[in-house]
Coordinates of all heavy atoms in Angstrom, one line a residue:
M864 N 18.6 24.9 5.3 CA 18.1 25.1 4.0 C 18.3 23.8 3.2 O 19.3 23.2 3.3 CB 18.8 26.3 3.3 CG 18.6 27.6 4.0 SD 16.9 28.2 4.0 CE 16.7 28.8 2.4
F865 N 17.3 23.6 2.3 CA 17.3 22.4 1.5 C 17.2 22.8 0.0 O 16.4 23.6 -0.3 CB 16.1 21.4 1.8 CG 16.2 20.9 3.2 CD1 15.5 21.5 4.3 CD2 16.9 19.7 3.5 CE1 15.6 21.0 5.6 CE2 16.9 19.2 4.8 CZ 16.3 19.9 5.8
K866 N 18.0 22.2 -0.8 CA 18.0 22.4 -2.2 C 16.8 21.6 -2.8 O 16.6 20.5 -2.5 CB 19.3 22.0 -2.9 CG 20.4 22.9 -2.6 CD 21.6 22.6 -3.3 CE 22.8 23.5 -2.9 NZ 24.0 23.2 -3.6
A867 N 16.0 22.3 -3.7 CA 14.9 21.6 -4.3 C 14.8 22.1 -5.8 O 15.4 23.1 -6.1 CB 13.6 21.9 -3.5
A868 N 13.9 21.4 -6.5 CA 13.7 21.8 -7.9 C 12.2 21.5 -8.3 O 11.6 20.6 -7.7 CB 14.6 21.1 -8.9
C869 N 11.7 22.3 -9.2 CA 10.3 22.2 -9.6 C 10.3 21.4 -10.9 O 10.9 21.9 -11.9 CB 9.6 23.5 -9.7 SG 7.9 23.4 -10.3
P870 N 9.5 20.3 -11.0 CA 9.5 19.6 -12.3 C 8.6 20.4 -13.4 O 8.8 20.1 -14.6 CB 8.8 18.3 -11.9 CG 8.0 18.6 -10.7 CD 8.8 19.7 -10.0
D871 N 7.8 21.3 -13.0 CA 7.0 22.1 -13.9 C 7.7 23.2 -14.6 O 7.9 23.2 -15.8 CB 5.7 22.6 -13.2 CG 4.6 21.5 -13.1 OD1 4.9 20.3 -13.4 OD2 3.5 21.9 -12.6
C872 N 8.2 24.1 -13.8 CA 8.9 25.3 -14.3 C 10.4 25.1 -14.4 O 11.1 26.0 -14.9 CB 8.5 26.6 -13.5 SG 9.3 26.7 -11.9
R873 N 10.9 24.0 -13.8 CA 12.3 23.7 -13.8 C 13.2 24.7 -12.9 O 14.4 24.8 -13.1 CB 12.9 23.6 -15.2 CG 12.2 22.5 -16.0 CD 13.1 22.0 -17.1 NE 12.4 21.1 -18.0 CZ 12.4 19.8 -17.8 NH1 13.0 19.3 -16.7 NH2 11.8 19.0 -18.6
G874 N 12.5 25.4 -12.1 CA 13.2 26.3 -11.2 C 14.0 25.6 -10.1 O 13.6 24.5 -9.7
R875 N 15.1 26.1 -9.7 CA 16.0 25.5 -8.7 C 16.1 26.6 -7.6 O 16.3 27.8 -7.9 CB 17.3 25.1 -9.3 CG 17.2 24.1 -10.4 CD 18.5 23.7 -11.0 NE 19.2 22.6 -10.5 CZ 18.8 21.4 -10.3 NH1 17.5 21.1 -10.5 NH2 19.5 20.4 -9.8
F876 N 16.0 26.1 -6.3 CA 16.0 27.1 -5.2 C 16.3 26.4 -3.9 O 16.4 25.1 -3.9 CB 14.6 27.7 -5.1 CG 13.5 26.8 -5.5 CD1 13.0 25.9 -4.5 CD2 12.9 26.7 -6.8 CE1 12.0 25.0 -4.8 CE2 11.9 25.8 -7.1 CZ 11.4 24.9 -6.1
E877 N 16.4 27.1 -2.9 CA 16.6 26.6 -1.5 C 15.4 26.9 -0.7 O 14.8 28.0 -0.8 CB 17.8 27.2 -0.9 CG 19.1 26.7 -1.5 CD 20.3 27.1 -0.7 OE1 20.2 27.9 0.2 OE2 21.4 26.6 -1.0
L878 N 15.0 25.9 0.1 CA 13.8 26.0 0.9 C 14.1 25.8 2.4 O 14.9 24.9 2.7 CB 12.7 25.0 0.5 CG 12.1 25.1 -0.9 CD1 11.2 23.9 -1.2 CD2 11.3 26.4 -1.0
A879 N 13.5 26.6 3.3 CA 13.7 26.3 4.7 C 12.9 25.1 5.1 O 12.0 24.7 4.4 CB 13.2 27.6 5.5
A880 N 13.2 24.5 6.2 CA 12.5 23.3 6.7 C 11.0 23.6 6.9 O 10.2 22.7 6.6 CB 13.1 22.9 8.1
S881 N 10.7 24.8 7.2 CA 9.2 25.1 7.4 C 8.5 25.1 6.1 O 7.2 25.1 6.1 CB 9.1 26.5 8.1 OG 9.7 27.5 7.3
A882 N 9.1 25.2 4.9 CA 8.4 25.1 3.6 C 8.2 23.7 3.1 O 7.6 23.6 2.1 CB 9.3 25.9 2.6
L883 N 8.8 22.7 3.8 CA 8.6 21.3 3.4 C 7.8 20.6 4.3 O 7.7 20.9 5.5 CB 10.0 20.7 3.4 CG 11.0 21.3 2.3 CD1 12.4 21.0 2.8 CD2 10.7 20.7 1.0
R884 N 7.1 19.5 3.8 CA 6.4 18.6 4.6 C 6.8 17.2 4.2 O 7.0 16.9 3.0 CB 4.8 18.7 4.3 CG 4.2 20.0 4.7 CD 4.2 20.2 6.2 NE 3.6 21.5 6.5 CZ 4.3 22.6 6.6 NH1 5.6 22.6 6.4 NH2 3.8 23.7 7.0
L885 N 6.9 16.3 5.2 CA 7.4 14.9 4.9 C 6.2 14.0 5.4 O 5.8 14.1 6.5 CB 8.7 14.6 5.7 CG 9.2 13.2 5.7 CD1 9.5 12.7 4.3 CD2 10.4 13.1 6.6
A886 N 5.8 13.1 4.6 CA 4.8 12.1 4.9 C 5.5 10.7 4.9 O 6.1 10.3 3.9 CB 3.6 12.1 4.0
I887 N 5.4 10.0 6.0 CA 6.0 8.6 6.0 C 4.9 7.6 6.1 O 4.2 7.6 7.1 CB 7.0 8.5 7.2 CG1 8.1 9.5 7.1 CG2 7.5 7.1 7.3 CD1 9.0 9.6 8.3
G888 N 4.8 6.8 5.1 CA 3.8 5.8 5.0 C 4.4 4.4 5.2 O 5.6 4.2 5.5
G889 N 3.6 3.4 4.9 CA 4.1 2.0 5.1 C 4.9 1.4 4.0 O 5.4 0.3 4.1
S890 N 5.0 2.2 2.9 CA 5.8 1.7 1.7 C 6.5 2.9 1.1 O 6.3 4.0 1.4 CB 4.8 1.0 0.7 OG 4.0 2.0 0.1
R891 N 7.3 2.5 0.1 CA 8.0 3.6 -0.6 C 7.0 4.5 -1.4 O 7.2 5.7 -1.5 CB 9.0 3.0 -1.7 CG 10.2 2.4 -1.0 CD 11.1 1.9 -2.1 NE 12.5 1.7 -1.5 CZ 13.5 1.2 -2.2 NH1 13.3 0.9 -3.5 NH2 14.6 1.0 -1.6
R892 N 6.0 3.9 -1.9 CA 5.0 4.6 -2.6 C 4.2 5.7 -1.8 O 3.8 6.7 -2.3 CB 4.0 3.7 -3.2 CG 3.2 4.2 -4.4 CD 2.2 3.2 -4.9 NE 1.4 2.7 -3.8 CZ 0.7 1.6 -3.8 NH1 0.8 0.8 -4.8 NH2 0.0 1.2 -2.8
T893 N 4.1 5.4 -0.5 CA 3.4 6.3 0.4 C 4.3 7.2 1.3 O 3.9 7.8 2.2 CB 2.4 5.6 1.3 OG1 3.1 4.6 2.0 CG2 1.3 4.9 0.4
T894 N 5.6 7.2 1.0 CA 6.6 8.0 1.7 C 7.1 9.1 0.7 O 7.6 8.8 -0.3 CB 7.7 7.2 2.2 OG1 7.2 6.2 3.1 CG2 8.7 8.1 3.0
F895 N 6.8 10.3 1.0 CA 7.1 11.4 0.1 C 7.3 12.7 0.9 O 6.9 12.9 2.0 CB 6.0 11.6 -0.9 CG 4.7 11.9 -0.3 CD1 4.3 13.2 -0.1 CD2 3.8 10.9 0.1 CE1 3.0 13.5 0.5 CE2 2.6 11.2 0.6 CZ 2.2 12.5 0.8
Y896 N 7.9 13.7 0.2 CA 7.9 15.1 0.7 C 7.3 16.0 -0.3 O 7.1 15.7 -1.5 CB 9.4 15.5 1.0 CG 10.3 15.7 -0.1 CD1 10.5 16.9 -0.7 CD2 11.0 14.6 -0.7 CE1 11.4 17.0 -1.8 CE2 11.8 14.7 -1.7 CZ 12.1 15.9 -2.3 OH 12.9 16.1 -3.3
S897 N 6.8 17.1 0.2 CA 6.1 18.0 -0.7 C 6.4 19.5 -0.3 O 6.8 19.8 0.8 CB 4.6 17.8 -0.6 OG 4.1 18.0 0.8
F898 N 6.2 20.3 -1.3 CA 6.4 21.8 -1.1 C 5.7 22.5 -2.2 O 5.3 21.9 -3.2 CB 7.9 22.1 -1.1 CG 8.6 21.7 -2.3 CD1 8.7 22.6 -3.4 CD2 9.2 20.5 -2.4 CE1 9.4 22.2 -4.6 CE2 9.9 20.1 -3.6 CZ 10.0 21.0 -4.7
T899 N 5.5 23.8 -2.0 CA 5.0 24.6 -3.1 C 6.1 25.4 -3.7 O 6.9 26.0 -3.1 CB 4.0 25.6 -2.5 OG1 2.9 24.9 -1.9 CG2 3.4 26.5 -3.6
C900 N 6.2 25.3 -5.1 CA 7.3 26.0 -5.8 C 7.2 27.5 -5.6 O 6.1 28.1 -5.9 CB 7.2 25.7 -7.3 SG 8.4 26.6 -8.3
P901 N 8.2 28.1 -5.1 CA 8.2 29.6 -4.9 C 8.2 30.4 -6.2 O 7.8 31.5 -6.2 CB 9.4 29.9 -4.1 CG 10.4 28.7 -4.4 CD 9.5 27.6 -4.7
D902 N 8.5 29.7 -7.3 CA 8.6 30.4 -8.6 C 7.2 30.4 -9.3 O 6.8 31.4 -9.8 CB 9.7 29.8 -9.5 CG 11.1 30.1 -9.0 OD1 11.3 31.0 -8.1 OD2 12.0 29.4 -9.4
C903 N 6.6 29.2 -9.4 CA 5.4 29.1 -10.2 C 4.1 28.8 -9.4 O 3.0 28.8 -9.9 CB 5.5 28.1 -11.3 SG 5.6 26.4 -10.8
G904 N 4.3 28.4 -8.1 CA 3.2 28.1 -7.2 C 2.6 26.7 -7.3 O 1.6 26.4 -6.7
T905 N 3.3 25.8 -8.1 CA 2.9 24.5 -8.2 C 3.1 23.7 -6.9 O 4.1 23.8 -6.3 CB 3.6 23.8 -9.4 OG1 3.3 24.4 -10.6 CG2 3.3 22.3 -9.5
A906 N 2.1 22.8 -6.6 CA 2.3 21.9 -5.5 C 3.1 20.7 -6.0 O 2.7 20.1 -6.9 CB 0.9 21.4 -4.9
V907 N 4.3 20.5 -5.4 CA 5.2 19.5 -5.8 C 5.3 18.4 -4.8 O 5.3 18.6 -3.6 CB 6.6 20.1 -6.0 CG1 7.6 19.0 -6.4 CG2 6.6 21.2 -7.0
R908 N 5.2 17.1 -5.3 CA 5.3 16.0 -4.4 C 6.3 15.0 -5.0 O 6.3 14.7 -6.2 CB 3.9 15.3 -4.3 CG 3.9 14.0 -3.5 CD 2.5 13.5 -3.4 NE 2.5 12.1 -3.0 CZ 1.4 11.4 -2.6 NH1 0.3 12.1 -2.6 NH2 1.5 10.2 -2.3
K909 N 7.3 14.6 -4.2 CA 8.4 13.8 -4.6 C 8.6 12.6 -3.7 O 8.4 12.8 -2.5 CB 9.7 14.6 -4.7 CG 9.7 15.7 -5.8 CD 11.0 16.3 -6.0 CE 11.0 17.3 -7.2 NZ 12.3 17.7 -7.5
P910 N 9.0 11.5 -4.2 CA 9.2 10.3 -3.3 C 10.4 10.6 -2.4 O 11.4 11.3 -2.8 CB 9.5 9.2 -4.3 CG 9.9 9.8 -5.6 CD 9.2 11.2 -5.6
A911 N 10.4 10.0 -1.2 CA 11.5 10.1 -0.3 C 12.0 8.7 0.2 O 11.3 8.0 0.8 CB 11.0 10.9 0.9
G912 N 13.2 8.4 -0.2 CA 13.8 7.2 0.2 C 14.4 7.4 1.6 O 14.2 8.4 2.2
E913 N 15.0 6.3 2.1 CA 15.5 6.4 3.5 C 16.5 7.5 3.8 O 16.4 8.2 4.8 CB 16.2 5.1 3.8 CG 15.3 3.9 4.1 CD 16.1 2.6 4.4 OE1 17.1 2.7 5.2 OE2 15.7 1.6 4.0
R914 N 17.4 7.8 2.8 CA 18.4 8.9 3.0 C 17.7 10.2 3.1 O 18.0 11.1 3.9 CB 19.4 8.8 1.9 CG 20.5 9.9 2.1 CD 21.4 9.6 3.2 NE 22.4 10.6 3.3 CZ 22.8 11.2 4.5 NH1 22.2 10.8 5.6 NH2 23.6 12.1 4.5
I915 N 16.7 10.5 2.2 CA 16.0 11.7 2.2 C 15.2 11.9 3.5 O 15.2 13.0 4.1 CB 15.0 11.8 1.0 CG1 15.8 11.7 -0.4 CG2 14.1 13.0 1.0 CD1 16.7 12.9 -0.6
V916 N 14.6 10.8 3.9 CA 13.8 10.9 5.2 C 14.8 11.3 6.3 O 14.5 12.2 7.2 CB 13.1 9.5 5.5 CG1 12.6 9.5 6.9 CG2 12.0 9.3 4.5
E917 N 16.0 10.7 6.4 CA 17.0 11.0 7.4 C 17.3 12.5 7.4 O 17.4 13.2 8.4 CB 18.2 10.1 7.3 CG 18.0 8.7 7.7 CD 19.3 7.9 7.4 OE1 20.4 8.5 7.3 OE2 19.2 6.7 7.3
L918 N 17.6 13.0 6.2 CA 18.1 14.4 6.0 C 17.0 15.3 6.4 O 17.2 16.3 7.1 CB 18.5 14.6 4.6 CG 19.8 14.0 4.1 CD1 20.0 14.1 2.6 CD2 21.0 14.5 4.8
L919 N 15.7 15.1 6.0 CA 14.6 16.0 6.3 C 14.3 16.0 7.7 O 14.1 17.0 8.3 CB 13.4 15.6 5.4 CG 13.6 15.9 3.9 CD1 12.4 15.5 3.1 CD2 14.0 17.3 3.6
T920 N 14.2 14.8 8.3 CA 13.8 14.8 9.8 C 14.9 15.4 10.6 O 14.7 16.1 11.6 CB 13.5 13.3 10.2 OG1 14.6 12.5 9.9 CG2 12.2 12.8 9.6
G921 N 16.2 15.1 10.2 CA 17.3 15.7 11.0 C 17.4 17.2 10.8 O 17.9 17.9 11.7
G922 N 16.8 17.7 9.7 CA 16.8 19.1 9.5 C 15.6 19.9 10.0 O 15.5 21.0 9.7
G923 N 14.8 19.2 10.7 CA 13.6 19.8 11.3 C 12.4 19.9 10.5 O 11.5 20.7 10.8
V924 N 12.3 19.2 9.4 CA 11.1 19.2 8.6 C 9.9 18.5 9.3 O 10.1 17.5 9.9 CB 11.3 18.6 7.2 CG1 10.0 18.4 6.4 CG2 12.4 19.3 6.4
R925 N 8.7 19.2 9.3 CA 7.6 18.6 10.0 C 7.2 17.3 9.3 O 7.2 17.2 8.1 CB 6.4 19.5 9.9 CG 6.5 20.6 11.0 CD 5.3 21.5 11.0 NE 5.7 22.7 10.4 CZ 5.0 23.8 10.2 NH1 3.7 23.7 10.4 NH2 5.5 24.9 9.7
T926 N 6.9 16.3 10.1 CA 6.7 14.9 9.6 C 5.3 14.4 10.0 O 4.9 14.6 11.1 CB 7.7 13.9 10.1 OG1 9.0 14.4 9.8 CG2 7.5 12.6 9.6
L927 N 4.6 13.8 9.0 CA 3.3 13.2 9.2 C 3.5 11.7 9.0 O 4.0 11.3 8.0 CB 2.3 13.8 8.3 CG 0.9 13.1 8.2 CD1 0.2 13.3 9.6 CD2 0.1 13.6 7.1
R928 N 3.1 10.9 10.0 CA 3.2 9.5 9.9 C 1.8 9.0 9.4 O 0.8 9.2 10.1 CB 3.6 8.8 11.2 CG 5.1 9.2 11.5 CD 5.7 8.2 12.4 NE 7.1 8.7 12.8 CZ 8.1 8.3 12.1 NH1 8.1 7.6 11.0 NH2 9.3 8.8 12.5
L929 N 1.8 8.3 8.3 CA 0.6 7.8 7.7 C 0.4 6.4 8.3 O 1.3 5.6 8.3 CB 0.6 7.8 6.2 CG 0.9 9.1 5.5 CD1 1.1 8.9 4.1 CD2 -0.2 10.1 5.9
H930 N -0.8 6.1 8.7 CA -1.1 4.8 9.3 C -2.0 4.0 8.3 O -3.0 4.6 7.7 CB -1.8 4.9 10.6 CG -1.0 5.5 11.7 ND1 0.0 4.8 12.3 CD2 -1.0 6.8 12.2 CE1 0.6 5.6 13.1 NE2 0.0 6.8 13.1
S931 N -1.8 2.7 8.2 CA -2.6 1.9 7.4 C -4.0 1.6 8.0 O -4.1 1.5 9.2 CB -1.9 0.6 7.1 OG -2.7 -0.3 6.4
T932 N -5.0 1.5 7.2 CA -6.3 1.2 7.7 C -6.7 -0.2 7.5 O -7.8 -0.6 7.7 CB -7.4 2.1 7.0 OG1 -7.3 1.9 5.6 CG2 -7.2 3.6 7.3
V933 N -5.7 -1.1 7.2 CA -5.9 -2.5 7.0 C -6.0 -3.2 8.3 O -5.4 -3.0 9.2 CB -4.8 -3.1 6.1 CG1 -5.0 -4.6 5.9 CG2 -4.8 -2.4 4.8

């Protein structure tokens, strides 16, 4: 279980790994995790630094690796 918060309704809750998605891009701007707030239904997207990426991948969160088209 992962602790999370919604910036819209300010709800605080715990989410299972299956409720989170992690996207790893080529930069900090394109590396983020997302979830749907269980309280208000808002789609939430937050930046993920190295430590967050380690915690989420280690906890079984599904990961999408984004590839550059350059």
